[in-house]
Amino acid sequence: MARNILVVAEVRNGQLRPVSFECIAAGRAIAEGGSVTAVLLSQADVDGSELIARGADRVVLVKGEHLKEYTPDGWLSALQQVYLAEKADVVLMGHTGIGRDLLPRFAMRNAAGMISDAIAVKLEGGQVVFTRPIYAGKAYVTQIVTEGLIVATIRPNNVAALEADAGRSGDVVQSEAAPVDLRTVVKEVVRQAATGVDLTAAKIVVAGGRGVKSAEGFKPLYELAEVLGAAVGASRAAADAGFCDYALQIGQTGKTVTPDLYIACGISGAIQHLAGMSASKVIVAINKDPEAPIFKVADYGIVGDLFEVVPLLTREFKALLG
Amino acid sequence: MEILVLLKQTFDTEAKVTVKDGRVVDDDVTLVINPYDEYAVEEALKIREAHGGTVTVISVGGDRVDEALRRALAMGADEAVAITPPENADEFVVANLLAAWAKGKSFDLLLAGNVSVDTGAGQTALRVAELLGMPHVAAALKLEVAGGTATVHRDAEGDTEVVTVSLPALITAQQGLNEPRYPSVPGIMKAKRKQIARLTAADLGVDVAPKTAITSVYQATQNRRNRMLGGTAEEQARELVNLLRSEAKVV
Ligand SMILES: Cc1cc2nc3c(=O)[nH]c(=O)nc-3n(C[C@H](O)[C@H](O)[C@H](O)COP(=O)(O)OP(=O)(O)OC[C@H]3O[C@@H](n4cnc5c(N)ncnc54)[C@H](O)[C@@H]3O)c2cc1C
């Protein structure tokens, strides 16, 4: 069954987000001869060619004064307009701040089933089957939408994007969003993300726990993260103690991360913390206590003082990576 | 202020999750109010303390959900409602049940958790807002209500957005919004005497089938190298960098 896929692509800090390419790849894998259309809601500075190179057949650039900033009313109305015009069978978006906010409402507006935070998508007997974690990764389910429109968000960093192919061609069309009353108004945005690397999409995460001891103690972690192009994360104990912002918290009640490499510094490995990071591909633990439970889930363990080990790692990585 | 809190009962975060016969086993598991929903209850109580009004808590759940609702009552909620879910209810069904109950009642504010720590889907509350035709603001870190408007500081992937929204609206709680109170002894005594209203889908006239189905459930498997490095800190650092490059191939 040929499916027409609509991927809601996103721009952050002036660049298309890698997860948008990952959604296009997921869409290609389930299209079965249908088309993949990427839609950008008011990202005026992007021409769409990169989305074509990454596997989209068409790009719809939607313009509208009221779309500049994300608001549920503005974006939902614009997405609905495109969806009705494109007659999509599947709508995909990254499980990002905006994806999490927009797609549940979109699904409900269309009385559709939705799979949130999928980590894999495949065809099985002609059906689209999603894999997603439950209990923050303590178990997994496979799940399908049983009828009608399929809506899903896909966790960054889990589905492989297609290599960019500059030789691919496709239409880029412009569209104008109908005006809409905005019931929520964004007054101000306070930028806080400290390294500029998005934690939930990062390939490498350097995380600190109560063992980091203070806000100042996070400095060596930021230095290591800088060298690795990594994001910095934290345990809840570190956030509770005020060493860092809650936005950095990883775990069952914090962010879930799936990087290629997770470096846990001064983190004991409580079950709620493990829930948010245990699906990382490779885990390194640095802890003073050789009995710390984090070593049980680690690939590589160093028993030692993080304030000694982390700067040494920074030095070694610098030498290796130039 | 008439406030409705959407609340879900979840596994205690300490709980081990075991899959048996294609299901997550929940017989001996301690159940709690979903931690994010507990922030929503606390926020509702704080707003009532400042502005007056009532706090109603509602949950879709089986018999055991009364424990969670009773805890919310003991914290200080005024009324509690439980809705028995039909078999295989998904977010679509649950949202329809909640919205059917709330429709036509004049709540100024709906509060819910940002996500539940069991399914982690984060859909239900936003679906309810859509069904009720209400605006929403998700992931609130700070909330102020005054004169029919809420001002919300919300978590937007680590950045903080300051958003205003006209009431009635639905707002979901992010960690950091507040510190939930413990039920007081008088609160617990009072809660014991309160009735929890129990309704079914039929009572609400809701007849919808789920839109999604779970086709398998499986346990996470852990395949780790568990390799402890040795030597001086310097030797360990060097070895780790080498291993990450040549063996694990992640840098
Ligand atoms: C409802 C609920 C939800 C929760 N959600 C989360 C969550 O989402 N995420 C989360 O992380 N936690 C969560 N927790 C908290 C969790 O139970 C733990 O308390 C927390 O993860 C512990 O953080 P930690 O490992 O940083 O601190 P600790 O357990 O105090 O461990 C600190 C570690 O640092 C080591 N150390 C100290 N000094 C040094 C040094 N100089 N060098 C090297 N090592 C050192 C110590 O040996 C120790 O192992 C939750 C708890 C509850 C009840």
Side-chain angles (χ1 to χ4, degrees):
Chain A
M1 173 201 159
R3 291 181 191 84
N4 289 333
I5 317 283
L6 192 62
V7 170
V8 186
E10 256 188 276
V11 168
R12 191 172 157 97
N13 303 325
Q15 294 210 310
L16 283 161
R17 299 186 74 158
V19 70
S20 300
F21 304 143
E22 292 159 18
C23 289
I24 291 172
R28 281 256 78 95
I30 58 172
E32 292 197 275
S35 67
V36 178
T37 301
V39 52
L40 265 167
L41 301 171
S42 182
Q43 309 292 353
D45 305 337
V46 178
D47 65 9
S49 57
E50 206 178 344
L51 292 162
I52 302 277
R54 293 293 191 148
D57 301 308
R58 276 178 85 234
V59 175
V60 182
L61 299 175
V62 186
K63 298 276 159 59
E65 247 336 280
H66 61 287
L67 295 179
K68 288 235 161 71
E69 231 136 29
Y70 172 75
T71 60
D73 286 339
W75 281 48
L76 180 56
S77 134
L79 174 59
Q80 185 70 9
Q81 190 184 324
V82 176
Y83 162 65
L84 293 176
E86 299 290 325
K87 300 184 183 63
D89 305 298
V90 181
V91 175
L92 301 176
M93 188 171 182
H95 194 68
T96 61
I98 295 177
R100 286 193 293 269
D101 203 78
L102 179 64
L103 284 211
R105 274 201 92 126
F106 170 77
M108 196 69 253
R109 183 156 294 187
N110 297 288
M114 172 176 167
I115 315 285
S116 298
D117 198 19
I119 57 168
V121 190
K122 61 173 185 286
L123 281 174
E124 237 175 55
Q127 236 171 5
V128 181
V129 181
F130 296 88
T131 304
R132 63 181 309 273
I134 54 171
Y135 301 95
K138 290 178 190 167
Y140 293 85
V141 296
T142 53
Q143 198 174 4
I144 56 169
V145 173
T146 47
E147 50 139 2
L149 171 66
I150 299 173
V151 181
T153 54
I154 295 180
R155 181 184 293 189
N157 226 1
N158 281 265
V159 174
L162 303 170
E163 288 292 329
D165 173 1
R168 278 184 53 96
S169 61
D171 289 341
V172 178
V173 298
Q174 307 263 353
S175 136
E176 192 74 36
V180 59
D181 278 340
L182 301 183
R183 294 171 298 179
T184 61
V185 179
V186 180
K187 295 281 178 195
E188 191 189 342
V189 183
V190 188
R191 304 257 169 237
Q192 257 161 13
T195 57
V197 183
D198 175 26
L199 185 56
T200 52
K203 295 272 183 211
I204 303 180
V205 173
V206 179
R210 206 198 313 260
V212 168
K213 291 189 179 70
S214 64
E216 182 71 9
F218 264 94
K219 243 177 99 183
L221 274 61
Y222 276 106
E223 285 163 7
L224 175 57
E226 168 100 44
V227 173
L228 292 171
V232 172
S235 72
R236 172 152 163 190
D240 276 344
F243 305 166
C244 65
D245 203 87
Y246 276 113
L248 266 51
Q249 183 189 318
I250 291 165
Q252 190 148 10
T253 53
K255 307 240 149 71
T256 308
V257 297
T258 338
D260 293 342
L261 175 60
Y262 190 87
I263 306 178
C265 311
I267 293 176
S268 62
I271 189 164
Q272 296 94 346
H273 187 77
L274 300 184
M277 49 62 82
S278 60
S280 302
K281 278 181 204 97
V282 173
I283 296 171
V284 169
I286 302 162
N287 198 304
K288 276 207 301 214
D289 173 10
E291 303 296 323
I294 188 83
F295 288 125
K296 293 206 179 70
V297 302
D299 291 284
Y300 304 109
I302 293 181
V303 177
D305 185 336
L306 72 95
F307 294 106
E308 188 185 357
V309 176
V310 173
L312 287 169
L313 280 177
T314 305
R315 199 180 75 189
E316 291 296 326
F317 277 120
K318 243 191 205 149
L320 177 77
L321 304 169
Chain B
M1 292 283 287
E2 301 300 310
I3 307 173
L4 179 64
V5 182
L6 314 181
L7 179 157
K8 184 179 189 182
Q9 190 179 38
T10 57
F11 277 34
D12 182 57
T13 57
E14 281 290 332
K16 264 193 76 155
V17 172
T18 325
V19 178
K20 225 177 114 188
D21 304 326
R23 292 188 84 94
V24 173
V25 182
D26 62 359
D27 307 341
D28 300 319
V29 174
T30 308
L31 301 177
V32 297
I33 297 176
N34 177 44
Y36 292 94
D37 303 355
E38 208 171 355
Y39 302 130
V41 174
E42 174 62 32
E43 200 64 17
L45 297 174
K46 280 168 68 177
I47 294 169
R48 186 194 61 192
E49 280 155 16
H51 300 269
T54 64
V55 173
T56 305
V57 288
I58 185 166
S59 187
V60 175
D63 295 341
R64 286 176 81 185
V65 85
D66 283 11
E67 293 168 30
L69 290 170
R70 223 166 271 291
R71 183 174 171 99
L73 290 170
M75 287 170 76
D78 301 287
E79 278 176 53
V81 181
I83 302 172
T84 308
E87 193 99 19
N88 301 323
D90 64 357
E91 294 86 359
F92 174 78
V93 175
V94 172
N96 270 289
L97 291 168
L98 291 167
W101 187 86
K103 202 154 215 150
K105 300 189 176 66
S106 50
F107 289 104
D108 303 292
L109 185 62
L110 265 64
L111 289 169
N114 176 36
V115 66
S116 67
V117 300
D118 50 3
T119 63
Q123 292 182 27
T124 304
L126 304 191
R127 282 178 179 269
V128 168
E130 176 65 21
L131 283 167
L132 295 175
M134 249 180 214
H136 80 262
V137 180
L141 296 165
K142 192 174 156 198
L143 170 57
E144 279 159 8
V145 286
T149 302
T151 303
V152 189
H153 292 233
R154 66 177 292 263
D155 173 23
E157 299 197 341
D159 295 336
T160 303
E161 264 179 25
V162 185
V163 176
T164 57
V165 63
S166 52
L167 301 181
L170 177 139
I171 293 164
T172 71
Q174 173 65 300
Q175 185 165 64
L177 180 61
N178 55 44
E179 199 53 65
R181 68 194 65 186
Y182 285 96
S184 62
V185 174
I188 294 168
M189 298 313 290
K190 231 169 112 187
K192 274 193 179 143
R193 293 193 298 271
K194 285 205 170 138
Q195 284 285 331
I196 295 174
R198 168 70 65 185
L199 294 103
T200 64
D203 295 334
L204 293 165
V206 172
D207 178 22
V208 294
K211 298 280 180 186
T212 58
I214 287 171
T215 51
S216 73
V217 184
Y218 58 96
Q219 198 99 31
T221 49
Q222 220 51 260
N223 251 328
R224 295 289 172 192
R225 292 186 180 87
N226 293 127
R227 181 150 157 192
M228 300 302 290
L229 306 185
T232 65
E234 213 150 352
E235 287 161 354
Q236 294 190 72
R238 194 164 307 137
E239 192 187 359
L240 177 65
V241 172
N242 281 334
L243 287 166
L244 290 175
R245 158 116 325 177
S246 55
E247 185 177 86
K249 301 192 170 62
V250 285
V251 285

